[in-house]
Amino acid sequence: MFAKVSKKVVAVALVAAMAVTTATVSDGTAADAAKKIKLNKKTVSVQQSKSVKLKANQKAKWTTSNKAVATVSKKSAKSITVKAIKPGSATITATAGGKKATCKVTVTKKVGIIYNLKNETGSDPSTGESYAPPCVCKYSEFKYNNFRIWLCRMTFYDPANAGTDYRGRKLKVVITVKNSGKRDLPELGVCFNYTKGGTDGAYPFALHVSAKKLSSKVKKDKQHRHTTYKVQKIKKGKTYKWTFNFTIPSNAMNGDKDQKTGINYPIMMYIPNMKDTSPYKPGDEITVKDCKIYAV
């Protein structure tokens, strides 16, 4: 009798122990998984129509809070691709073991390229100089502000000709410039030839690179409206790539007019000769190797 009871007790005890062990392993694994779930990004900004990858440290179920803004490539996986549909924000959620990890996705407007210097063909009918890069600007052009120092033939507003009006739109400019002259340059600038309403005489700097800090007086000067300023020496033989953003005011106008038609000339982007400081000397030379402009 005692032996039978002992066997039953032992059997029951073993079953109970197995159940407890199984429950501990199952619950423990789920808890560990839930605690450890992590994503490679907590926030991310992606351009419209572009994609970005999100990764979890384990297989998870993925959802998006706004399919109209961003979608997920898979419902269940360790890593997925999030596709940006239209500007806005969406929360991407990964769920595993009853716990969640999220990533906020911000979709920005598509950036379209509106000018690429590498696509230039043909040449200047008067000088025979090729429009295609690399475009060399010598001291004579810097000194006399000749049209050959224009960074590109892109027009941002041209009243005399049909074309897109880019005033009031945010522009992103990426230029690659080489100091191909005989010495280090003290400074270099990029400007737009417009005045507000065609009355203010300043052609503002969109980018100003200088070997030394500008004085507060210069910064406040109407002729020096700096959007981007960099303290950097422009060394001989070196190539530099600069990126800056700029928005031409909606009422901007080139103050110069065609004497025959009375129509204002177009707004363009150029390297100024900076006559106020006269930083250039014979032998100075700049080569524009690349220039891309985007409308954001």
Side-chain angles (χ1 to χ4, degrees):
M1 181 75 176
F2 180 77
K4 289 182 180 180
V5 172
S6 297
K7 287 181 179 179
K8 287 182 178 180
V9 171
V10 170
V12 171
L14 286 172
V15 171
M18 289 176 67
V20 171
T21 302
T22 302
T24 301
V25 172
S26 177
D27 291 345
T29 302
D32 290 343
K35 288 179 181 179
K36 292 180 180 179
I37 183 170
K38 293 181 180 180
L39 302 184
N40 62 325
K41 298 177 186 293
K42 290 184 179 181
T43 60
V44 65
S45 179
V46 59
Q47 208 179 108
Q48 186 179 4
S49 78
K50 299 290 184 180
S51 297
V52 63
K53 286 187 177 181
L54 288 184
K55 297 180 181 179
N57 60 341
Q58 59 191 285
K59 188 176 181 180
K61 291 184 178 180
W62 300 84
T63 58
T64 174
S65 65
N66 194 338
K67 292 181 179 179
V69 172
T71 59
V72 296
S73 60
K74 297 177 182 178
K75 292 184 178 180
S76 180
K78 191 173 181 179
S79 64
I80 61 163
T81 298
V82 177
K83 185 175 181 181
I85 306 301
K86 71 174 186 179
S89 62
T91 300
I92 306 300
T93 303
T95 306
K99 298 294 182 178
K100 300 177 180 180
T102 61
C103 175
K104 183 179 178 181
V105 176
T106 300
V107 179
T108 58
K109 288 183 180 180
K110 184 177 180 180
V111 177
I113 187 165
I114 59 175
Y115 180 83
N116 191 342
L117 182 62
K118 289 184 177 180
N119 294 334
E120 285 283 16
T121 58
S123 58
D124 188 315
S126 59
T127 65
E129 183 183 20
S130 173
Y131 290 133
C135 303
V136 180
C137 304
K138 299 180 180 180
Y139 167 71
S140 58
E141 282 91 34
F142 278 82
K143 183 179 179 182
Y144 296 108
N145 211 7
N146 185 286
F147 274 87
R148 281 180 57 196
I149 70 168
W150 296 107
L151 277 168
C152 63
R153 295 196 297 162
M154 171 75 189
T155 58
F156 301 91
Y157 175 60
D158 188 357
N161 299 287
T164 304
D165 182 357
Y166 289 102
R167 296 177 303 171
R169 296 185 63 180
K170 184 178 180 180
L171 304 173
K172 176 183 176 182
V173 181
V174 183
I175 59 172
T176 303
V177 176
K178 179 181 180 180
N179 179 0
S180 50
K182 297 181 179 180
R183 67 170 186 135
D184 295 346
L185 289 178
E187 61 181 308
L188 188 70
V190 176
C191 291
F192 286 88
N193 64 327
Y194 73 80
T195 61
K196 288 185 178 180
T199 57
D200 188 342
Y203 283 1
F205 281 94
L207 171 70
H208 194 170
V209 182
S210 176
K212 60 182 180 179
K213 290 184 178 181
L214 298 180
S215 67
S216 58
K217 182 179 179 180
V218 171
K219 286 182 179 180
K220 292 178 181 179
D221 191 289
K222 286 186 177 181
Q223 194 67 25
H224 294 82
R225 293 198 182 99
H226 297 85
T227 296
T228 301
Y229 171 63
K230 296 178 182 291
V231 181
Q232 185 178 32
K233 197 170 186 178
I234 308 165
K235 295 183 178 181
K236 179 180 68 175
K238 297 291 184 180
T239 298
Y240 301 89
K241 184 177 181 179
W242 294 312
T243 300
F244 61 91
N245 295 325
F246 193 80
T247 301
I248 299 171
S250 299
N251 66 340
M253 187 74 70
N254 185 338
D256 295 325
K257 297 181 179 181
D258 185 311
Q259 292 183 353
K260 293 182 179 179
T261 64
I263 299 175
N264 296 76
Y265 286 121
I267 295 175
M268 299 178 74
M269 185 174 69
Y270 71 104
I271 299 174
N273 57 13
M274 301 185 195
K275 293 178 181 178
D276 54 345
T277 56
S278 302
Y280 305 119
K281 298 179 180 180
D284 289 346
E285 181 180 277
I286 284 292
T287 299
V288 182
K289 300 174 71 174
D290 192 20
C291 179
K292 292 184 178 68
I293 305 172
Y294 304 82
V296 181

mmCIF file of all heavy atoms in Angstrom, residues 23 38 53-54 59 83 93-94 126 133 139 144 151 208 213 217:
data_model
loop_
_atom_site.group_PDB
_atom_site.id
_atom_site.type_symbol
_atom_site.label_atom_id
_atom_site.label_comp_id
_atom_site.label_asym_id
_atom_site.label_seq_id
_atom_site.Cartn_x
_atom_site.Cartn_y
_atom_site.Cartn_z
ATOM 1 N N ALA A 23 6.834 25.540 -17.938
ATOM 2 C CA ALA A 23 6.265 26.887 -17.818
ATOM 3 C C ALA A 23 7.346 27.914 -17.610
ATOM 4 O O ALA A 23 7.317 28.997 -18.182
ATOM 5 C CB ALA A 23 5.273 26.914 -16.648
ATOM 6 N N LYS A 38 15.003 44.953 -29.916
ATOM 7 C CA LYS A 38 15.540 46.281 -30.223
ATOM 8 C C LYS A 38 15.583 46.478 -31.731
ATOM 9 O O LYS A 38 15.721 45.526 -32.491
ATOM 10 C CB LYS A 38 16.955 46.437 -29.651
ATOM 11 C CG LYS A 38 17.017 46.435 -28.135
ATOM 12 C CD LYS A 38 18.456 46.613 -27.665
ATOM 13 C CE LYS A 38 18.541 46.606 -26.146
ATOM 14 N NZ LYS A 38 19.943 46.772 -25.674
ATOM 15 N N LYS A 53 16.020 50.508 -44.569
ATOM 16 C CA LYS A 53 15.909 49.201 -43.925
ATOM 17 C C LYS A 53 15.837 49.334 -42.408
ATOM 18 O O LYS A 53 16.561 50.123 -41.814
ATOM 19 C CB LYS A 53 17.100 48.320 -44.311
ATOM 20 C CG LYS A 53 17.038 47.783 -45.731
ATOM 21 C CD LYS A 53 18.147 46.780 -45.988
ATOM 22 C CE LYS A 53 18.016 46.187 -47.393
ATOM 23 N NZ LYS A 53 19.070 45.177 -47.656
ATOM 24 N N LEU A 54 14.956 48.540 -41.809
ATOM 25 C CA LEU A 54 14.869 48.454 -40.360
ATOM 26 C C LEU A 54 15.181 47.018 -39.946
ATOM 27 O O LEU A 54 14.705 46.072 -40.580
ATOM 28 C CB LEU A 54 13.486 48.843 -39.861
ATOM 29 C CG LEU A 54 13.106 50.328 -39.934
ATOM 30 C CD1 LEU A 54 11.728 50.530 -39.303
ATOM 31 C CD2 LEU A 54 14.130 51.191 -39.234
ATOM 32 N N LYS A 59 13.262 37.810 -34.887
ATOM 33 C CA LYS A 59 12.090 37.824 -35.761
ATOM 34 C C LYS A 59 10.933 38.515 -35.051
ATOM 35 O O LYS A 59 10.685 38.275 -33.879
ATOM 36 C CB LYS A 59 11.704 36.403 -36.147
ATOM 37 C CG LYS A 59 10.612 36.331 -37.215
ATOM 38 C CD LYS A 59 10.356 34.901 -37.624
ATOM 39 C CE LYS A 59 9.273 34.834 -38.704
ATOM 40 N NZ LYS A 59 9.008 33.432 -39.113
ATOM 41 N N LYS A 83 9.138 51.640 -47.188
ATOM 42 C CA LYS A 83 9.085 52.483 -48.381
ATOM 43 C C LYS A 83 8.330 53.768 -48.072
ATOM 44 O O LYS A 83 7.221 53.739 -47.526
ATOM 45 C CB LYS A 83 8.406 51.755 -49.537
ATOM 46 C CG LYS A 83 8.426 52.550 -50.838
ATOM 47 C CD LYS A 83 7.850 51.754 -51.995
ATOM 48 C CE LYS A 83 7.911 52.565 -53.292
ATOM 49 N NZ LYS A 83 7.333 51.814 -54.431
ATOM 50 N N THR A 93 6.113 49.629 -36.036
ATOM 51 C CA THR A 93 6.162 48.865 -34.787
ATOM 52 C C THR A 93 6.584 47.422 -35.049
ATOM 53 O O THR A 93 6.038 46.769 -35.946
ATOM 54 C CB THR A 93 4.792 48.868 -34.087
ATOM 55 O OG1 THR A 93 4.384 50.222 -33.849
ATOM 56 C CG2 THR A 93 4.862 48.140 -32.760
ATOM 57 N N ALA A 94 7.546 46.953 -34.263
ATOM 58 C CA ALA A 94 7.971 45.553 -34.301
ATOM 59 C C ALA A 94 7.539 44.908 -32.991
ATOM 60 O O ALA A 94 7.829 45.431 -31.912
ATOM 61 C CB ALA A 94 9.484 45.469 -34.464
ATOM 62 N N SER A 126 31.132 83.054 -78.877
ATOM 63 C CA SER A 126 32.072 84.175 -79.013
ATOM 64 C C SER A 126 33.506 83.780 -78.652
ATOM 65 O O SER A 126 34.463 84.261 -79.258
ATOM 66 C CB SER A 126 31.629 85.348 -78.136
ATOM 67 O OG SER A 126 31.560 84.952 -76.774
ATOM 68 N N PRO A 133 32.102 70.727 -68.079
ATOM 69 C CA PRO A 133 33.147 70.815 -67.055
ATOM 70 C C PRO A 133 34.382 70.020 -67.484
ATOM 71 O O PRO A 133 34.272 69.147 -68.345
ATOM 72 C CB PRO A 133 32.480 70.177 -65.833
ATOM 73 C CG PRO A 133 31.485 69.222 -66.400
ATOM 74 C CD PRO A 133 30.986 69.862 -67.654
ATOM 75 N N TYR A 139 42.110 84.604 -63.264
ATOM 76 C CA TYR A 139 42.169 85.881 -62.549
ATOM 77 C C TYR A 139 41.492 86.997 -63.333
ATOM 78 O O TYR A 139 40.802 87.836 -62.748
ATOM 79 C CB TYR A 139 43.624 86.242 -62.280
ATOM 80 C CG TYR A 139 43.815 87.671 -61.824
ATOM 81 C CD1 TYR A 139 43.394 88.068 -60.552
ATOM 82 C CD2 TYR A 139 44.403 88.623 -62.652
ATOM 83 C CE1 TYR A 139 43.561 89.372 -60.123
ATOM 84 C CE2 TYR A 139 44.570 89.922 -62.233
ATOM 85 C CZ TYR A 139 44.153 90.314 -60.968
ATOM 86 O OH TYR A 139 44.320 91.604 -60.561
ATOM 87 N N TYR A 144 37.456 91.247 -63.479
ATOM 88 C CA TYR A 144 36.507 92.089 -64.207
ATOM 89 C C TYR A 144 35.061 91.571 -64.151
ATOM 90 O O TYR A 144 34.186 92.128 -64.786
ATOM 91 C CB TYR A 144 36.951 92.210 -65.673
ATOM 92 C CG TYR A 144 38.279 92.909 -65.806
ATOM 93 C CD1 TYR A 144 39.419 92.206 -66.162
ATOM 94 C CD2 TYR A 144 38.397 94.268 -65.536
ATOM 95 C CE1 TYR A 144 40.647 92.845 -66.268
ATOM 96 C CE2 TYR A 144 39.623 94.916 -65.629
ATOM 97 C CZ TYR A 144 40.746 94.200 -66.002
ATOM 98 O OH TYR A 144 41.959 94.827 -66.107
ATOM 99 N N LEU A 151 28.801 80.164 -62.256
ATOM 100 C CA LEU A 151 29.012 78.767 -61.884
ATOM 101 C C LEU A 151 28.343 77.810 -62.860
ATOM 102 O O LEU A 151 28.814 76.708 -63.090
ATOM 103 C CB LEU A 151 28.470 78.513 -60.481
ATOM 104 C CG LEU A 151 29.411 78.881 -59.341
ATOM 105 C CD1 LEU A 151 28.677 78.865 -58.012
ATOM 106 C CD2 LEU A 151 30.580 77.927 -59.293
ATOM 107 N N HIS A 208 29.941 81.523 -48.268
ATOM 108 C CA HIS A 208 31.163 82.318 -48.176
ATOM 109 C C HIS A 208 32.188 81.503 -47.404
ATOM 110 O O HIS A 208 31.969 81.157 -46.251
ATOM 111 C CB HIS A 208 30.890 83.646 -47.469
ATOM 112 C CG HIS A 208 32.008 84.637 -47.626
ATOM 113 N ND1 HIS A 208 31.888 85.954 -47.246
ATOM 114 C CD2 HIS A 208 33.272 84.504 -48.106
ATOM 115 C CE1 HIS A 208 33.016 86.587 -47.506
ATOM 116 N NE2 HIS A 208 33.872 85.721 -48.012
ATOM 117 N N LYS A 213 37.983 84.327 -39.706
ATOM 118 C CA LYS A 213 36.639 84.697 -39.307
ATOM 119 C C LYS A 213 36.287 86.086 -39.828
ATOM 120 O O LYS A 213 37.125 86.979 -39.850
ATOM 121 C CB LYS A 213 36.506 84.673 -37.778
ATOM 122 C CG LYS A 213 36.547 83.275 -37.184
ATOM 123 C CD LYS A 213 36.300 83.331 -35.686
ATOM 124 C CE LYS A 213 36.282 81.930 -35.087
ATOM 125 N NZ LYS A 213 36.029 81.964 -33.621
ATOM 126 N N LYS A 217 31.140 93.472 -38.366
ATOM 127 C CA LYS A 217 30.765 94.568 -39.259
ATOM 128 C C LYS A 217 30.480 94.048 -40.660
ATOM 129 O O LYS A 217 29.519 94.450 -41.315
ATOM 130 C CB LYS A 217 31.886 95.614 -39.298
ATOM 131 C CG LYS A 217 31.560 96.825 -40.160
ATOM 132 C CD LYS A 217 32.694 97.830 -40.126
ATOM 133 C CE LYS A 217 32.367 99.031 -41.001
ATOM 134 N NZ LYS A 217 33.469 100.034 -40.989
#
